[in-house]
């Protein structure tokens, strides 16, 4: 294998490693976004449960 070919392969490997690092950073950012989305969904669920409890109270009051 010629020196040029070895150097070219090493350059390609370094570029691929950089791409991997960039992708890992993007994955971490996406994971943080997903964590925020999950927290928001949990909060929404809590509100929905409160609304349901309030609706039940209203129905009970109306039935009296």
């Amino acid at each position: 294998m010629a020196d040029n070919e070895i150097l070219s392969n090493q350059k390609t490997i370094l570029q691929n490693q950089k791409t991997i690092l960039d992708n890992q950073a993007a994955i971490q950012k996406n994971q943080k976004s997903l964590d925020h989305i999950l927290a928001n969904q949990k909060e929404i669920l809590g509100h929905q449960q409160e609304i349901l409890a309030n609706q039940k109270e209203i129905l009970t009051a109306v039935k009296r």
Side-chain angles (χ1 to χ4, degrees), residues 33-51:
S33 295
L34 288 172
D35 290 344
H36 289 299
I37 289 168
L38 181 57
N40 290 340
Q41 287 174 326
K42 286 180 181 178
E43 188 177 347
I44 289 167
L45 180 57
H47 293 312
Q48 288 172 326
Q49 289 169 334
E50 287 177 32
I51 290 166

Side-chain angles (χ1 to χ4, degrees), residues 15-61:
Q15 288 170 337
N16 289 343
Q17 287 172 329
K18 183 188 181 310
T19 299
I20 289 167
L21 288 173
D22 290 344
N23 288 343
Q24 287 173 330
I27 288 168
Q28 287 176 342
K29 184 178 178 184
N30 289 341
Q31 185 62 53
K32 285 182 183 179
S33 295
L34 288 172
D35 290 344
H36 289 299
I37 289 168
L38 181 57
N40 290 340
Q41 287 174 326
K42 286 180 181 178
E43 188 177 347
I44 289 167
L45 180 57
H47 293 312
Q48 288 172 326
Q49 289 169 334
E50 287 177 32
I51 290 166
L52 182 58
N54 291 341
Q55 288 172 329
K56 285 179 181 177
E57 282 183 36
I58 292 167
L59 282 174
T60 301

